[in-house]
Amino acid sequence: MDTQLKKGVMDLCVLKILENKDCYGYELVQKISKNIKISEGTLYPILRRLEKERCLEKYFRESKEGPSRKYYGITRKGKQKSMQLNEEWSEFVKKVNKILK
Amino acid sequence: MNEKQFLEELEKNLSSLREEDMKEILDDYKEHFKVGKKNKRKPSEIAESLGDPKEIAYDAKKELGEVNHFKKDLKQLGETIEDTTKNFYNSIRKYFIHKRKKSKGNSSKEKRKFWKALGLFSLNLLLMIWVFLSLYAVSFGFFVAGGAIVLSGFVTFFANTFILIVKTSAALNRLAISGMFSGIGIIALGLIWLKLTQKITKVFSLLVNKYYKWHRRFLKK
């Protein structure tokens, strides 16, 4: 699948996963790359951008094994963005499917 | 590619960033390697699935908006002018069509739109373009001045080194040594000047961006 196409929907994937539960970077990256083949490294810049847009916030939390880890949680603005992107995505899929039929 | 190679390659491609940004980015990937190794993955395997460091660096810079500020600013300024002109033209057209038809329904709304467009148009034409252009002229001037300071520092330094090498009198040598040090001082001063100018330019660029966004919102209303 085309990488540009994948990158476009990564925002939505990241926000959706964080709606369920806060994650640290590695965890989040694994959750996505388990399902979608993508260069894992390109997800971190997306996280940083979403944080800059105040859709995510990061904090440090102690982990069971060893030093504290950087966790990401979704903000209210992030939830709004997720809803909006979700609608756009469904609309897009519907239209593409219509053409494919 | 092993962990060290990956991180070095990444660092090399991020060297244009500010140090704290670079450190934050590198820390994310170091952490990624650490957790991955704890999960019993081989470092080379982790590096492989992370992807090409060059591409990552490019993405990271793009997300930080570090990919050529000046070009982005120019584009935004261009769009601002284009927006205003288009909007102005459309409103005038609509206004006169309405006037001719003498329809009462929407005319007050159209009228308001017309004045808004006219206002923005004149604000941009009379004021903002010149304000932004002069901001750029100022920062450009500062950059040139900074470059000149650094250059003069180098000249001072090398001229005095030359005197020292040719070895004239002892008194002149002492003078040359102090001259060399002042050369270094001037270079440092010039570098600080350039750094400050860079900061100022960033603030300008932020202003352009803010105005652009406000402009967009205002026209949409």
Side-chain angles (χ1 to χ4, degrees):
Chain A
M1 199 175 150
D2 179 31
T3 27
Q4 280 306 329
L5 200 56
K6 276 187 214 164
K7 273 183 194 169
V9 289
M10 275 310 129
D11 286 25
L12 178 59
C13 295
V14 167
L15 290 170
K16 273 285 162 195
I17 288 170
L18 290 177
E19 258 177 35
N20 278 329
K21 105 186 214 304
D22 292 2
C23 291
Y24 56 91
Y26 186 85
E27 195 183 1
L28 189 75
V29 169
Q30 292 311 312
K31 273 185 183 172
I32 290 177
S33 67
K34 203 170 64 190
N35 296 304
I36 303 172
K37 200 168 169 296
I38 187 169
S39 302
E40 295 176 5
T42 53
L43 284 166
Y44 285 99
I46 294 175
L47 286 176
R48 262 190 304 278
R49 176 168 47 77
L50 286 171
E51 192 207 330
K52 213 169 118 192
E53 289 171 3
R54 302 224 185 87
C55 291
L56 308 180
E57 54 193 359
K58 64 173 182 217
Y59 58 92
F60 287 88
R61 195 204 278 167
E62 298 290 322
S63 68
K64 277 164 259 163
E65 63 285 340
S68 60
R69 279 184 186 150
K70 201 200 289 181
Y71 272 79
Y72 293 92
I74 195 166
T75 62
R76 221 178 53 170
K77 200 177 166 205
K79 281 179 188 155
Q80 280 170 5
K81 180 156 184 173
S82 158
M83 217 153 64
Q84 182 209 335
L85 286 176
N86 203 345
E87 272 167 28
E88 281 172 18
W89 170 250
S90 315
E91 197 59 30
F92 180 70
V93 169
K94 219 161 67 190
K95 281 176 184 160
V96 172
N97 277 335
K98 219 185 221 170
I99 293 171
L100 293 184
K101 248 179 219 166
Chain B
M1 195 182 281
N2 62 28
E3 179 178 349
K4 198 167 156 254
Q5 284 168 330
F6 179 91
L7 291 172
E8 270 170 9
E9 181 75 16
L10 186 62
E11 187 171 354
K12 205 175 75 191
N13 285 288
L14 288 173
S15 56
S16 65
L17 293 184
R18 286 187 310 176
E19 198 144 327
E20 59 248 58
D21 286 333
M22 186 159 83
K23 194 180 165 297
E24 210 193 316
I25 293 167
L26 286 174
D27 279 348
D28 275 342
Y29 293 103
K30 278 180 197 157
E31 170 92 12
H32 189 93
F33 272 106
K34 218 160 69 189
V35 185
K37 279 187 284 188
K38 217 168 250 166
N39 286 325
K40 308 222 162 52
R41 287 171 77 193
K42 270 191 238 138
S44 60
E45 195 186 302
I46 301 170
E48 169 112 20
S49 55
L50 275 173
D52 182 6
K54 263 191 215 124
E55 197 195 329
I56 294 171
Y58 179 77
D59 275 1
K61 278 191 264 188
K62 208 170 64 185
E63 307 291 17
L64 271 173
E66 290 282 341
V67 180
N68 207 338
H69 270 288
F70 186 63
K71 225 165 147 185
K72 202 181 96 203
D73 289 352
L74 268 188
K75 204 173 138 233
Q76 290 191 340
L77 270 181
E79 276 173 25
T80 308
I81 294 166
E82 197 189 312
D83 273 2
T84 331
T85 326
K86 258 193 210 152
N87 200 270
F88 181 58
Y89 172 71
N90 276 335
S91 304
I92 289 178
R93 216 175 43 132
K94 274 191 195 154
Y95 182 69
F96 282 108
I97 289 172
H98 270 276
K99 233 185 176 176
R100 212 182 309 145
K101 280 187 186 163
K102 287 202 170 141
S103 67
K104 277 167 194 165
N106 264 339
S107 73
S108 72
K109 200 176 146 203
E110 290 304 327
K111 225 182 220 167
R112 217 184 57 221
K113 266 195 179 162
F114 171 76
W115 288 114
K116 223 157 92 172
L118 181 68
L120 261 189
F121 185 71
S122 32
L123 179 70
N124 281 333
L125 199 69
L126 293 176
L127 196 64
M128 294 328 276
I129 294 177
W130 309 112
V131 169
F132 287 132
L133 279 182
S134 41
L135 285 185
Y136 277 109
V138 166
S139 52
F140 181 70
F142 270 102
F143 262 119
V144 172
I149 296 174
V150 173
L151 193 72
S152 71
F154 272 110
V155 171
T156 314
F157 181 77
F158 284 115
N160 284 295
T161 318
F162 180 71
I163 294 174
L164 213 60
I165 290 169
V166 197
K167 276 192 188 145
T168 43
S169 67
L172 211 55
N173 274 354
R174 263 202 302 278
L175 256 177
I177 288 173
S178 67
M180 269 168 73
F181 280 114
S182 43
I184 293 171
I186 294 168
I187 293 171
L189 192 77
L191 290 178
I192 293 169
W193 179 291
L194 281 176
K195 194 78 205 169
L196 282 177
T197 310
Q198 201 189 10
K199 288 245 159 82
I200 294 171
T201 315
K202 263 193 186 154
V203 174
F204 287 171
S205 161
L206 210 72
L207 283 178
V208 173
N209 189 266
K210 278 263 151 67
Y211 182 71
Y212 172 74
K213 281 187 176 154
W214 173 80
H215 197 277
R216 275 266 149 115
R217 271 207 310 275
F218 189 73
L219 282 182
K220 262 192 194 154
K221 261 185 219 161

